[in-house]
Amino acid sequence: MTDTIFGKITRGEIPTDFLYEDELCVVIKDLYPQAPTHVLIIPRKPIPMLSEAAEDDQALLGHLLIVAGKVADQLGVGDAFRLVINNGEGGGQTVFHLHLHILASGDMKEGDLAAGLSR
Ligand code: AMP
């Protein structure tokens, strides 16, 4: 697959502050935040998109969800956040290295965040 900016970030080739990291993933702030809290959970493994994940990735995908909950907690939004995965160009994906968006604002009942992410 083609390398992406997230491949370079996860490999440490582009200096980036990690809000969290472990052997499987890193968490960074989104460069163009669409909500007061907007961070990205990026697996070190460069899976291009969710629909290309394999059975072997099951544990990794579960891990990313667990990390999402922990990081949201650390950021003080543990009981009010939205998790988004854009899949494919038609799904609004722009960086073809799987990542999860954690989004949180004062009021997660509104649909504006979801609309913003499907640009
Ligand atoms: P998606 O549209 O789901 O592929 O999301 C890609 C996200 O990556 C967008 O929200 C961008 O703002 C964000 N982004 C792109 N480049 C960087 C970067 N160098 N550091 C942090 N976030 C980035």
Side-chain angles (χ1 to χ4, degrees), residues 35-105:
T37 298
H38 187 175
V39 303
L40 304 171
I41 302 171
I42 310 173
R44 294 186 190 274
K45 180 176 177 181
I47 301 167
M49 63 180 91
L50 182 66
S51 59
E52 293 186 21
E55 287 293 325
D56 280 357
D57 297 316
Q58 194 170 336
L60 172 59
L61 296 178
H63 180 73
L64 299 177
L65 294 180
I66 298 296
V67 168
K70 285 183 186 164
V71 169
D73 244 0
Q74 278 176 18
L75 295 173
V77 297
D79 60 352
F81 68 93
R82 179 169 296 162
L83 208 53
V84 172
I85 299 175
N86 294 324
N87 189 83
E89 213 175 316
Q93 186 174 2
T94 56
V95 180
F96 287 83
H97 178 137
L98 175 67
H99 51 281
L100 286 61
H101 298 254
I102 296 178
L103 294 144
S105 64

Side-chain angles (χ1 to χ4, degrees), residues 5-6 9 28-32 40 86 92-95 99 101 119:
I5 186 90
F6 290 171
I9 287 173
I28 64 172
K29 283 188 180 172
D30 196 290
L31 199 55
Y32 305 104
L40 304 171
N86 294 324
Q93 186 174 2
T94 56
V95 180
H99 51 281
H101 298 254
R119 70 197 180 285

